[in-house]
Amino acid sequence: LHIIWNYGKHLKPQVIGSRAEDLRRLQPALAYLRLHLAESPPVGLLARQSGLSEPQFRRVFHRALGLSPVNYLRNLRMERACALLKTTDLTLEAIAEQIGYQGASFFVTTFRKQFGIPPGIFRHQPLS
């Protein structure tokens, strides 16, 4: 809850209601992304997971979630990074590797862009 409370303005909520059918169609791809967080699966593979063509998948994904598959994956990775920073003593390099980044430098840059602070500062902030 701390992450959502303090950093929720940076997260995109899932759209419900009129987009429920789109979300249902995307569930296999969304599940695949959550299970393969450290990978960067091609959009074509994700489209096949959902039984859609690649262009159709991109349209449905953006319509349902308001962002691209790449941005959704980045948000998932940053969410996982936040959890690892708060619950483990893993190095930034180890966290970067676990969430699919080649090195700590790109991870730190991406984290800072997403949340406005570096991961080391985030890690030491008290939970409120």
Side-chain angles (χ1 to χ4, degrees):
L1 290 175
H2 166 75
I3 293 167
I4 293 170
W5 181 259
N6 287 314
Y7 303 100
K9 66 181 177 246
H10 301 288
L11 303 174
K12 298 266 186 184
Q14 291 186 356
V15 180
I16 57 173
S18 64
R19 304 294 185 223
E21 178 61 23
D22 288 341
L23 287 171
R24 186 194 62 71
R25 294 173 80 187
L26 294 174
Q27 282 309 308
L30 298 176
Y32 184 90
L33 283 171
R34 283 189 297 275
L35 291 173
H36 299 92
L37 193 60
E39 300 171 18
S40 292
V43 174
L45 173 68
L46 298 173
R48 285 191 298 279
Q49 294 285 322
S50 295
L52 301 168
S53 70
E54 190 172 326
Q56 186 180 24
F57 177 78
R58 288 180 188 277
R59 281 192 305 276
V60 169
F61 200 99
H62 194 272
R63 185 173 62 216
L65 297 171
L67 66 168
S68 70
V70 170
N71 288 336
Y72 181 81
L73 177 60
R74 186 193 64 232
N75 287 349
L76 284 178
R77 286 174 169 172
M78 291 297 105
E79 180 182 303
R80 178 70 177 137
C82 287
L84 290 171
L85 286 164
K86 289 297 187 181
T87 61
T88 72
D89 290 329
L90 291 173
T91 65
L92 295 180
E93 187 72 38
I95 291 172
E97 186 178 314
Q98 278 199 23
I99 63 170
Y101 290 120
Q102 295 297 320
S105 177
F106 185 65
F107 163 59
V108 169
T109 300
T110 304
F111 192 95
R112 185 187 308 247
K113 223 186 256 187
Q114 181 97 8
F115 298 112
I117 60 171
I121 301 279
F122 175 84
R123 171 176 264 165
H124 298 296
Q125 285 184 335
L127 293 174
S128 52

